[in-house]
Amino acid sequence: GENVEQHPSTLSVQEGDSAVIKCTYSDSASNYFPWYKQELGKGPQLIIDIRSNVGEKKDQRIAVTLNKTAKHFSLHITETQPEDSAVYFCAPGKGGGADGLTFGKGTHLIIQP
Amino acid sequence: NAGVTQTPKFQVLKTGQSMTLQCAQDMNHNSMYWYRQDPGMGLRLIYYSASEGTTDKGEVPNGYNVSRLNKREFSLRLESAAPSQTSVYFCASSEYREDTQYFGPGTRLTVL
């Protein structure tokens, strides 16, 4: 099955700085690369995703970049704000997550005021 | 639209008791999923239903059964609860198998 590793496990940044979280995966057949945000006491919520025919996607302050050759993709958050504090999960999958997603263990992002 | 709803929000069971976790979605989605979340483990897929009338095992199906009651509802049953099943359970749905998954708020289950 898919082996997913996410780094770092905890990331603390000053408000206004940028944050980058990296996800590596093992299955070369993976073709769907989403990032989820989970706030305390809530379910995960999709914030951005990318498919394998695209190298980068941006949505306001967040972006995802994909390197299929090296089998990793990254989440970039610029101009971080207090509401960005949460746990972030990558969840690569095949067929757009047809048979469910394989989640990384999560990155706890802390925004320092 | 309520999206994905789950009941109950919290539950405490004794070892050996049974219970059913309920999930419903009002987005007319075809596919539904059950995950469990344990500290430091991310989310792991228990069972999924690609479409009404079908169910398949995920990564950690042992000790669980599911029923896709209709297009809206997908339930998860623990026949004889064990302490190892203490976890937070999330239901999710997607329009088709290839689409974005939307998650419910979760059920926090403790088995004593």
Side-chain angles (χ1 to χ4, degrees), chain A residues 11-20 61 77-82 84-85 109-113:
Chain A
L11 179 59
S12 181
V13 301
Q14 290 293 124
E15 183 178 347
D17 287 350
S18 295
V20 181
R61 295 187 299 107
I77 305 174
T78 59
E79 300 172 16
T80 53
Q81 299 170 3
D84 295 330
S85 292
L109 178 61
I110 301 165
I111 308 301
Q112 303 279 7

Side-chain angles (χ1 to χ4, degrees), chain A residues 36 38 43-44 46 49 51 89 95-101 103-105, chain B residues 33 35 37 40-43 45 48 90 97-101 103-105:
Chain A
Y36 282 82
Q38 186 176 27
L46 180 76
D49 59 6
R51 297 190 188 264
F89 294 95
D99 302 329
L101 301 168
F103 281 77
K105 294 184 178 179
Chain B
Y33 312 82
Y35 293 87
Q37 184 174 33
M41 296 291 291
L43 287 87
L45 183 66
Y48 66 98
F90 289 99
R97 295 171 67 185
E98 296 77 19
D99 289 333
T100 299
Q101 293 185 20
F103 284 78

Side-chain angles (χ1 to χ4, degrees), chain B residues 38-81:
Chain B
D38 303 294
M41 296 291 291
L43 287 87
R44 293 180 291 171
L45 183 66
I46 304 171
Y47 271 94
Y48 66 98
S49 171
S51 60
E52 188 178 356
T54 68
T55 61
D56 284 286
K57 296 178 180 179
E59 180 186 353
V60 289
N62 291 346
Y64 305 95
N65 285 299
V66 291
S67 295
R68 183 74 184 267
L69 304 170
N70 47 55
K71 192 172 185 179
R72 289 187 64 249
E73 298 172 289
F74 189 37
S75 64
L76 178 71
R77 182 160 179 83
L78 288 69
E79 289 291 351
S80 178

